[in-house]
Amino acid sequence: MSATAFGVTKEGLPVTRYTLESRSGITVGVLDRGAIIQSILVPCPDGPVDVVAGFDDISGYEACDAYLGALVGRHANRLGGAFIEIDGKRWPVTANEGAKQLHGGLHGFDQKMFAAEQPAPNCLVLRCVSPDGEEGFPGEVTLQATYTLSDEGALSLDYQATSTRDTVINLTNHSYFNLNGGGSVLQHRLWLAASRFTPIDADALPTGEIRDVAGTPFDFCTAKQIGADLDACDEQLVLGHGYDHNFVLDKASGELATVAELCGDQTGIRMRCVTTCPGLQLYTANFLQSPPLVKGEKTIAPREAVCLETQYFPNSMNCPAFEKPIVRAGGLYHERTIYEFMK
């Protein structure tokens, strides 16, 4: 594993890029700012294909609000009303998307500088602390994110966190995948182990309903092209401007299981997603504004990337039927997601 300079933040802090290399030829670039996955290169006959969107220097990430490749939290996704409630006590948290909170507020983990350690080959441990009251959340949270790349090319993201007070913790990685290396992802084939999803309202917040996918554009129980039903006359697709929905995974919460498989139509690269989390947000990059210039002088536009964000359900604090990501003082938050790449 190698480490190279990746620029300096607006605050004058140096950023380092760490490169993990597998025996199978897959390489992964990780930044100590935001625990960002900056690149994933998968070997192909015509040369390596970078399957995640990102930037060539830290200034690109600072100028973009799309969370490309970042670890997001304390609470990933949306919190309606911008508050949390634990045991009848309510804490207001920062609203940064209208009257709700998105991905932890104005200064979430995506903007943190992490202390990095390399305890073993192709293993990177990233640590940071979120002070008590940051963005309104109770408790000082200590986070450790361990990124490990196996010889076979499986990238494991292992998150562990503790808090000094009862709080909520819900973390995810926000990589934008394109297994062709660029262009539309609508011909990518996707399979999800999810027979239900959580419908949203006009504010993109789950309503609390859990609905069967059968007979709807949200049925990926049999693999199909992402764009196969994207133009269907469906209220949920209109509300999300495409797919921007949480899927209820067909497994027990905490069980490590395969929940998704994505295949690039041009390269044949396959990505399998394995997780302990109970939900997965499928997002077709619908809200990218003024398509940012990314690596290699390319741009990325809506429908040219797809996110598979493993998580607890969005808006769970407002939905009685949803499992709550509450972490008790002195307790341990521990979730794991693995992205396996194959040809």
Side-chain angles (χ1 to χ4, degrees):
M1 182 164 59
S2 60
T4 56
F6 197 76
V8 178
T9 68
K10 293 175 182 177
E11 297 77 26
L13 300 173
V15 177
T16 301
R17 182 185 188 273
Y18 296 87
T19 302
L20 313 179
E21 302 181 49
S22 74
R23 291 183 181 177
S24 63
I26 292 173
T27 65
V28 177
V30 180
L31 306 182
D32 58 1
R33 194 264 196 186
I36 288 169
I37 297 175
Q38 188 263 343
S39 66
I40 300 176
L41 296 174
V42 180
C44 285
D46 295 330
V49 174
D50 194 344
V51 299
V52 293
F55 297 96
D56 287 320
D57 56 53
I58 194 59
S59 63
Y61 289 100
E62 291 182 310
C64 180
D65 63 358
Y67 306 92
L68 269 68
L71 190 167
V72 295
R74 289 186 190 189
H75 190 288
N77 218 301
R78 294 175 172 92
L79 277 171
F83 72 89
I84 63 170
E85 186 173 307
I86 303 174
D87 299 333
K89 184 174 181 179
R90 180 174 291 199
W91 285 268
V93 297
T94 305
N96 63 322
E97 190 183 65
K100 54 188 178 293
Q101 187 187 90
L102 175 67
H103 293 325
L106 295 172
H107 301 285
F109 287 126
D110 61 295
Q111 297 184 39
K112 290 281 190 185
M113 291 298 303
F114 286 74
E117 179 186 352
Q118 305 170 43
N122 290 321
C123 178
L124 181 67
V125 177
L126 298 161
R127 297 185 178 92
C128 76
V129 174
S130 174
D132 184 14
E134 186 169 45
E135 299 298 307
F137 291 99
E140 178 182 276
V141 168
T142 301
L143 168 63
Q144 175 176 297
T146 303
Y147 291 11
T148 307
L149 184 63
S150 74
D151 286 340
E152 295 74 28
L155 177 62
S156 173
L157 312 178
D158 191 284
Y159 302 137
Q160 297 187 52
T162 58
S163 176
T164 58
R165 301 172 66 186
D166 293 351
T167 193
V168 298
I169 302 175
N170 179 25
L171 309 177
T172 195
N173 175 266
H174 209 304
S175 286
Y176 286 67
F177 294 103
N178 186 315
L179 302 188
N180 293 334
S184 172
V185 295
L186 297 187
Q187 285 72 48
H188 281 39
R189 293 185 65 82
L190 176 65
W191 167 81
L192 296 176
S195 55
R196 298 173 296 164
F197 77 109
T198 54
I200 60 174
D201 62 17
D203 286 325
L205 290 165
T207 63
E209 178 189 358
I210 295 177
R211 185 181 299 177
D212 287 346
V213 301
T216 78
F218 296 85
D219 189 351
F220 288 91
C221 293
T222 300
K224 67 180 182 183
Q225 291 184 343
I226 290 174
D229 299 314
L230 201 54
D231 294 326
C233 183
D234 184 277
E235 180 190 30
Q236 285 297 307
L237 292 177
V238 173
L239 290 172
H241 299 270
Y243 293 112
D244 190 11
H245 294 76
N246 171 71
F247 285 75
V248 180
L249 299 175
D250 293 334
K251 69 177 194 66
S253 181
E255 175 191 1
L256 185 66
T258 300
V259 298
E261 187 166 307
L262 184 69
C263 183
D265 55 295
Q266 297 174 19
T267 60
I269 294 173
R270 290 184 296 132
M271 183 184 79
R272 184 176 295 140
C273 179
V274 183
T275 191
T276 56
C277 294
L280 182 149
Q281 185 87 1
L282 172 64
Y283 176 50
T284 44
N286 312 320
F287 298 104
L288 287 176
Q289 301 292 325
S290 302
L293 193 67
V294 290
K295 291 174 290 189
E297 300 298 304
K298 298 178 181 178
T299 58
I300 178 175
R303 314 293 170 81
E304 292 187 348
V306 60
C307 302
L308 302 176
E309 305 163 58
T310 56
Q311 60 180 6
Y312 282 78
F313 301 172
N315 204 33
S316 62
M317 303 307 291
N318 292 306
C319 299
F322 293 0
E323 182 179 359
K324 308 293 186 288
I326 295 173
V327 178
R328 298 296 179 179
L332 178 67
Y333 170 94
H334 186 196
E335 300 292 344
R336 186 182 183 199
T337 293
I338 305 168
Y339 295 108
E340 302 174 354
F341 298 91
M342 300 151 283
K343 268 290 287 178

